[in-house]
Amino acid sequence: MGLLPHILFKSRPKIEINNNKLFTSSLEVYKWNMFSEGNTTLNVSLLDDETNIKYGGTISFKVNIDNSKGKLTANEIKVVLMRTINFKKKITKETKDSINNECIVQKFNTKVNPGEIKSFDFSINLKDMDKDTFNLKNENLPYSNINDMSFFLPSVNSSVLECTYCLRVTLYFDSFVAYKHRPRVFIPINICHQSMQEYQANSYFNQNNINNIQNNINMNNNQNNINNQNNIDDEEDDLPNKEEIEKNNNDYIEENMDDAPLCEAPAPALGFNNNDKNNINNNN
């Protein structure tokens, strides 16, 4: 029995309508989980409102911190790219097992004093995002030319397997604030093997090919109809009309009437007539 073939599935961008473009968390902040320090709002939005990120690309986002009603200094944000893999039961579709990974963890300085509002632009690179997650040195991979495990784990949703990504952004302060009192947002990310621009260009190219093929078919059909009509017209031109038929009949009758015997002469019998016999005797 030979080796079974391996199939590599690649994912395309996910087109969403009316998707949320701004992710907001506004909380009353408690220092040491006891003392209220006012209200702070964290706003995060992806640049170009693009949630589809090509494998190995960059996630760019804007952070706006409204600390105008806060009493603590917002020091930094912690950004975590989380992956969740769910294995489902084939019949009931219930999740029977899950794998959760923190693929990327990064911190960015965002010093916003009490009473201030500031915005920042940041980005994280997805290249080698699983270099610390999997150890593939001793593994026998079916694709020897691909050493990055994340290439095989794009966003996917099927009846038996689901792989999703989420960008978690949490705001930290210059004093201890418990987990439940930290402003925090979750942004769904669709990691795929094709950017939205590539997908649109590919779709446009395929649609043009379909239109060209359809146009060629229509042109061929029209040309065939024209050729068929020309053949019919040519055949009709070769056929004589009624006047020509009647004229030919009259000419034929007149030509044969000149050589026809007079009415007084006896009609010839079938076979040999008497004159023919006399001619034969004379010839003999």
Side-chain angles (χ1 to χ4, degrees):
M1 184 175 180
L3 295 176
L4 295 177
H6 296 90
I7 300 177
L8 175 62
F9 291 97
K10 292 186 177 182
S11 63
R12 281 183 164 176
K14 183 179 180 181
I15 300 177
E16 296 180 345
I17 300 176
N18 297 328
N19 57 328
N20 187 14
K21 299 179 181 180
L22 181 64
F23 299 85
T24 301
S25 175
S26 183
L27 294 177
E28 186 173 358
V29 178
Y30 284 86
K31 184 172 64 174
W32 295 103
N33 207 20
M34 298 175 61
F35 309 104
S36 176
E37 299 293 341
N39 186 281
T40 302
T41 301
L42 171 66
N43 299 300
V44 183
S45 61
L46 297 177
L47 295 185
D48 300 325
D49 301 323
E50 185 57 72
T51 59
N52 295 287
I53 308 299
K54 184 178 179 179
Y55 156 81
T58 300
I59 302 178
S60 300
F61 53 96
K62 179 183 287 294
V63 176
N64 175 271
I65 299 175
D66 185 352
N67 204 22
S68 57
K69 299 180 180 178
K71 300 178 182 178
L72 296 178
T73 299
N75 273 351
E76 63 181 14
I77 59 170
K78 183 179 179 180
V79 180
V80 180
L81 179 64
M82 302 182 299
R83 177 201 291 129
T84 301
I85 302 176
N86 294 323
F87 300 92
K88 305 177 184 178
K89 295 182 179 179
K90 187 175 182 180
I91 298 178
T92 62
K93 312 304 179 185
E94 296 178 355
T95 300
K96 61 180 181 180
D97 196 8
S98 295
I99 299 176
N100 297 288
N101 301 116
E102 291 186 353
C103 303
I104 298 177
V105 179
Q106 280 188 243
K107 294 182 178 181
F108 300 94
N109 293 325
T110 58
K111 186 175 181 179
V112 181
N113 296 319
E116 293 182 338
I117 301 175
K118 288 185 180 181
S119 296
F120 308 87
D121 290 339
F122 300 113
S123 64
I124 59 174
N125 197 321
L126 301 186
K127 186 177 181 180
D128 298 328
M129 66 181 187
D130 278 316
K131 64 180 180 180
D132 297 327
T133 306
F134 302 101
N135 185 5
L136 305 176
K137 292 182 179 180
N138 298 324
E139 298 296 333
N140 185 16
L141 296 177
Y143 300 94
S144 58
N145 59 328
I146 302 176
N147 297 320
D148 189 358
M149 191 63 185
S150 57
F151 182 85
F152 302 99
L153 295 172
S155 300
V156 65
N157 188 4
S158 67
S159 58
V160 295
L161 177 66
E162 182 183 31
C163 180
T164 60
Y165 290 87
C166 182
L167 195 68
R168 185 183 70 198
V169 183
T170 306
L171 183 61
Y172 287 80
F173 299 88
D174 59 348
S175 296
F176 174 76
V177 176
Y179 179 89
K180 63 180 180 180
H181 295 303
R182 301 171 193 160
R184 182 181 296 104
V185 297
F186 297 87
I187 305 175
I189 300 293
N190 186 66
I191 296 181
C192 46
H193 294 96
Q194 192 178 41
S195 66
M196 180 59 72
Q197 292 78 9
E198 292 172 341
Y199 172 72
Q200 292 173 345
N202 184 263
S203 300
Y204 179 78
F205 175 78
N206 290 336
Q207 187 61 44
N208 279 348
N209 283 343
I210 294 174
N211 293 337
N212 291 335
I213 293 173
Q214 186 62 44
N215 291 336
N216 290 334
I217 293 174
N218 294 335
M219 291 177 62
N220 291 333
N221 290 337
N222 293 335
Q223 186 63 40
N224 291 335
N225 293 334
I226 294 173
N227 293 336
N228 293 335
Q229 185 62 40
N230 291 336
N231 292 334
I232 294 174
D233 294 340
D234 292 341
E235 292 176 358
E236 292 179 352
D237 292 340
D238 293 339
L239 296 176
N241 55 33
K242 182 179 180 182
E243 296 178 355
E244 292 176 345
I245 293 174
E246 293 178 351
K247 183 177 183 302
N248 291 335
N249 288 339
N250 292 334
D251 293 341
Y252 176 79
I253 293 173
E254 291 177 359
E255 291 176 358
N256 288 279
M257 287 301 290
D258 293 339
D259 298 332
L262 298 175
C263 293
E264 292 80 6
L270 295 175
F272 297 102
N273 55 24
N274 293 329
N275 292 332
D276 293 332
K277 289 180 180 180
N278 293 333
N279 294 331
I280 292 172
N281 293 328
N282 293 331
N283 292 334
N284 291 334

